[in-house]
Amino acid sequence: LFRSLPLPLLLLLLWEPTVSAGPDKLVCYFTNWAQYRPGNAKYTTAEVDPTLCTHLIYAFATLDSSNRITTVEWNDAAVYGQFNGLKRQNPGLVTQLAVG
């Protein structure tokens, strides 16, 4: 029977994934350019509900010519503070910075 199955399917059938009993994660993504959307589409840290996600990623920072992380938008430093301040409303929230 196994000789007639394609190799990827055979490997899938034989593979037993390890199941983790850890907590669920809901990772959310916040973009620094959403502040420039017009009207009701504008989105800032004031609109973020920090209880909806377990992890919140801020996009983006970048690398300068010396390969140091630096801001992209004129107000990123202030917004980083607001973004990380969401932990006051949800102490279990994990915040991260995407560099790209």
Side-chain angles (χ1 to χ4, degrees):
L1 170 71
F2 289 120
R3 289 179 189 231
S4 64
L5 294 174
L7 183 58
L9 181 58
L10 177 61
L11 292 175
L12 182 64
L13 289 173
L14 296 176
W15 177 63
E16 288 188 45
T18 303
V19 177
S20 173
D24 291 333
K25 294 178 179 69
L26 180 57
V27 181
C28 301
Y29 195 73
F30 178 85
T31 60
N32 60 1
W33 61 87
Q35 64 186 323
Y36 302 120
R37 293 179 187 155
N40 291 336
K42 181 177 181 176
Y43 196 73
T44 66
T45 55
E47 283 80 44
V48 175
D49 180 348
T51 64
L52 294 177
C53 308
T54 60
H55 295 67
L56 193 53
I57 301 172
Y58 186 96
F60 285 104
T62 191
L63 297 177
D64 66 14
S65 60
S66 299
N67 292 323
R68 292 178 296 198
I69 295 175
T70 188
T71 60
V72 174
E73 296 296 334
W74 62 274
N75 63 343
D76 273 342
V79 178
Y80 290 162
Q82 297 164 4
F83 185 79
N84 284 314
L86 295 169
K87 293 179 181 184
R88 287 190 290 277
Q89 297 171 57
N90 178 3
L93 181 66
V94 176
T95 58
Q96 300 175 329
L97 177 63
V99 179

